[in-house]
């Protein structure tokens, strides 16, 4: 399966890309880093909403209390701006010490020499405690560059209250297909109050990747770093989403275009209680539920049981990495170790960045889970037995897929481009981006 975790991951959020699990992390020879003397001041930057920022700053305060010689300067950036600002910072040699990454960015920056080989800070950062599958998400080019913040999956987030208000039953997600999905979305829109839709426009690289995997057995990318998806598959996708819009199941083009640039849960139709379904990342289930004031659930996407094979995957929701130019790599490693392995940190962060990749931390948190968090934990466990485990990480340049697909989607929805032409153009532009 080829995977691309993008803006939906944020929201990632969620957000990271599927990882090549064909090779497992191994010990690599690395130069010893010098000891650090005196006080250290670190910079830590991430993307996310205000809730994540508040949680993270509280966890950092706890770390600083336990490590009085280390000061951590923090910065939270909205997802749309995050990677542009990171690229600018890297170009200027001014990146943070602790860099949060997702999607294809870990491999892209790791292969460019921007990230630290984490075997050089093994005394400060214990990776043996983490799930092997999750840890492999940060392993590229025979080097461990990233540490998973948690386990995440891409699926369908559903507001049962909207279904109930429209008199529509929840589907059997073990058997439903895309035709039934379209029928249900249309029925919700027809019976819900004006301004409420069955589904938000689903077009995103992650959803297209899932769809392609189901229908053809391959996703956006091939294992050798090329583009695997065919123009005809993209055309079929745009045919479907156009039908969703024309039937009223999803919003008109102007709303979908505007929402594409408003990724935070509070700004989405689902988060405002104005949509029954939205494709998204499991680690945002609580955020969507909180925003809407309704407990959401996760469903397997349509088509998982009646096509070539499952399209879903499990992956690290985000990865913590260390700048290769950090003046204080050992201190930064201590901070990461605290964030991913400490039960004190877990009590503060919970599953905000995905279900913890440390099994002991997961079990520590389980008794105190809210009903929505329990739903997320149970869904992750269910998906772990459902997916086929065949991962392909997107190559360098694949992060351009978000902007390419969003632009073409706007043109299709506004009637400026036919689905067939959009399919051809998407494959052509994505191939150029990853070449």
């Amino acid at each position: 399966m080829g995977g691309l975790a993008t803006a939906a991951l944020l929201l990632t959020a969620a957000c990271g890309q599927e990882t090549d699990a064909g090779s497992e992390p191994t010990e690599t020879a690395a130069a010893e880093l010098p000891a650090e003397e005196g006080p250290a001041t670190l910079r830590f930057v991430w993307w996310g909403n205000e809730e994540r920022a508040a949680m993270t700053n509280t966890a950092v305060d706890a770390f600083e209390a336990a490590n009085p010689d280390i000061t951590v300067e923090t910065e939270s950036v909205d997802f749309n701006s995050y990677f542009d600002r990171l690229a600018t910072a890297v170009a200027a040699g001014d990146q943070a010490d602790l860099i949060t990454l997702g999607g294809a960015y870990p491999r892209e920056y790791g292969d460019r020499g921007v990230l630290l080989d984490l075997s050089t800070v093994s005394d400060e950062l214990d990776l043996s405690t983490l799930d092997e599958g999750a840890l492999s998400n940060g392993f590229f080019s025979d080097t461990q560059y990233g540490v998973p913040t948690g386990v995440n999956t891409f699926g369908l987030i559903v507001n049962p209250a909207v279904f109930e208000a429209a008199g529509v039953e929840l589907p059997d997600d073990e058997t439903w297909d895309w035709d039934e999905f379209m029928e249900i979305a249309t029925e919700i829109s027809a019976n819900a109050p004006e301004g409420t839709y069955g589904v938000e426009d689903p077009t995103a690289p992650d959803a297209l990747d899932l769809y392609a995997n189901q229908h053809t057995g391959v996703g956006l990318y091939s294992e050798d770093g090329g583009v695997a998806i065919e123009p005809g598959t993209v055309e079929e996708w745009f045919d479907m989403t156009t039908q969703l819009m024309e039937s009223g199941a999803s919003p008109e083009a102007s709303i979908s275009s505007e929402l594409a640039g408003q990724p935070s849960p509070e700004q989405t139709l689902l988060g405002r209680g104005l949509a029954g379904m939205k494709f998204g990342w499991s680690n945002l289930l609580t955020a969507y539920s909180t925003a809407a004031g309704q407990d959401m659930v996760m469903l397997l996407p349509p088509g998982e049981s009646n096509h070539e094979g499952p399209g879903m995957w499990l992956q690290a929701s985000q990865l913590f990495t260390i700048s290769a130019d950090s003046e204080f790599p050992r201190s930064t490693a201590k901070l990461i170790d605290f964030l991913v392995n400490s039960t004190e940190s877990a009590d503060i962060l919970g599953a905000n960045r995905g279900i913890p990749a440390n099994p002991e931390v997961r079990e520590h948190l389980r008794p105190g889970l809210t009903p929505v968090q329990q739903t997320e934990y149970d869904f992750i466990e269910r998906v772990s037995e459902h997916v086929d485990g065949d991962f392909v990480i997107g190559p360098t340049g694949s992060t351009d897929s978000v902007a390419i697909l969003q632009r073409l989607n706007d043109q299709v929805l506004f009637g400026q481009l036919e689905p067939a032409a959009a399919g051809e153009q998407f494959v052509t532009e994505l191939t150029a981006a990853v070449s």
Side-chain angles (χ1 to χ4, degrees):
M1 172 191 346
L4 174 70
T6 58
L9 136 301
L10 171 339
L11 229 158
T12 222
C15 208
Q17 187 151 359
E18 283 192 62
T19 308
D20 182 357
S23 58
E24 296 180 359
T26 57
E27 292 294 327
T28 57
E32 283 294 319
L33 294 176
E36 297 173 12
E37 300 180 1
T41 298
L42 317 176
R43 291 167 55 207
F44 172 21
V45 61
W46 66 88
W47 72 83
N49 58 13
E50 293 181 2
E51 179 187 27
R52 174 173 293 167
M55 288 179 173
T56 306
N57 282 319
T58 300
V60 166
D61 289 343
F63 172 79
E64 289 178 326
N67 298 272
D69 287 341
I70 303 177
T71 300
V72 183
E73 298 175 349
T74 64
E75 182 180 6
S76 177
V77 180
D78 71 274
F79 183 83
N80 275 353
S81 304
Y82 181 83
F83 290 103
D84 286 341
R85 292 180 61 173
L86 175 61
T88 301
V90 169
D94 188 38
Q95 63 268 27
D97 299 271
L98 200 172
I99 307 170
T100 307
L101 291 176
Y105 290 103
R107 166 163 278 173
E108 182 171 329
Y109 283 116
D111 288 347
R112 287 168 51 190
V114 175
L115 306 180
L116 182 74
D117 177 350
L118 296 182
S119 68
T120 62
V121 289
S122 58
D123 289 344
E124 293 78 16
L125 177 56
D126 183 8
L127 300 182
S128 67
T129 59
L130 305 182
D131 289 334
E132 187 175 280
L135 190 60
S136 68
N137 280 244
F139 185 74
F140 317 113
S141 305
D142 296 324
T143 305
Q144 192 72 46
Y145 285 119
V147 181
T149 64
V151 181
N152 200 8
T153 192
F154 186 76
L156 196 66
I157 303 176
V158 171
N159 187 341
V162 173
F163 274 71
E164 183 177 357
V168 179
E169 293 186 2
L170 291 176
D172 179 353
D173 65 347
E174 294 284 351
T175 62
W176 71 330
D177 59 19
W178 289 93
D179 287 339
E180 185 178 356
F181 162 74
M182 295 173 67
E183 292 170 2
I184 289 174
T186 302
E187 187 178 359
I188 290 173
S189 291
N191 293 284
E194 185 176 354
T196 299
Y197 299 89
V199 65
E200 295 197 36
D201 178 75
T203 302
D206 303 304
L208 181 58
D209 190 28
L210 182 150
Y211 182 88
N213 268 298
Q214 289 181 350
H215 288 74
T216 68
V218 293
L220 291 177
Y221 308 107
S222 60
E223 293 185 2
D224 62 4
V227 174
I229 194 169
E230 296 289 339
T233 304
V234 185
E235 177 186 358
E236 291 174 7
W237 174 267
F238 280 132
D239 279 334
M240 178 191 66
T241 58
T242 300
Q243 291 177 48
L244 284 172
M245 181 187 69
E246 291 176 345
S247 70
S250 64
E252 54 266 34
S254 59
I255 294 178
S256 292
S257 178
E258 180 182 356
L259 289 172
Q262 304 290 337
S264 69
E266 298 84 357
Q267 295 172 307
T268 63
L269 294 178
L270 186 76
R272 291 154 54 196
L274 299 177
M277 299 178 286
K278 178 179 176 63
F279 285 87
W281 291 94
S282 59
N283 66 320
L284 289 170
L285 189 64
T286 296
Y288 281 115
S289 298
T290 300
Q294 302 284 348
D295 285 355
M296 307 280 180
V297 299
M298 294 285 299
L299 297 182
L300 298 179
E304 282 289 283
S305 62
N306 41 47
H307 290 290
E308 293 295 319
M312 297 180 70
W313 62 92
L314 283 176
Q315 69 175 60
S317 34
Q318 295 179 354
L319 290 165
F320 286 147
T321 65
I322 300 176
S323 167
D325 293 333
S326 173
E327 186 179 353
F328 303 105
R330 294 188 182 277
S331 296
T332 306
K334 286 182 181 180
L335 173 58
I336 294 176
D337 188 81
F338 177 81
L339 293 173
V340 300
N341 289 327
S342 164
T343 55
E344 182 180 4
S345 174
D347 286 337
I348 300 168
L349 297 175
N352 183 265
R353 284 180 169 86
I355 293 176
N358 184 324
E360 294 182 4
V361 172
R362 278 203 300 268
E363 287 308 307
H364 171 78
L365 289 176
R366 188 175 288 276
L369 296 177
T370 66
V372 174
Q373 291 170 334
Q374 185 66 60
T375 297
E376 181 188 351
Y377 269 56
D378 292 345
F379 188 72
I380 288 289
E381 292 177 2
R382 180 184 174 202
V383 170
S384 67
E385 300 190 1
H386 166 81
V387 299
D388 58 19
D390 183 15
F391 303 140
V392 177
I393 187 168
T396 298
S398 60
T399 50
D400 289 352
S401 64
V402 179
I404 294 170
L405 189 59
Q406 182 176 322
R407 171 169 42 79
L408 293 175
N409 187 53
D410 283 349
Q411 291 178 297
V412 170
L413 294 182
F414 280 107
Q416 300 166 348
L417 195 64
E418 291 296 321
E424 292 284 353
Q425 194 168 331
F426 177 75
V427 172
T428 298
E429 292 190 29
L430 188 59
T431 300
V434 304
S435 296

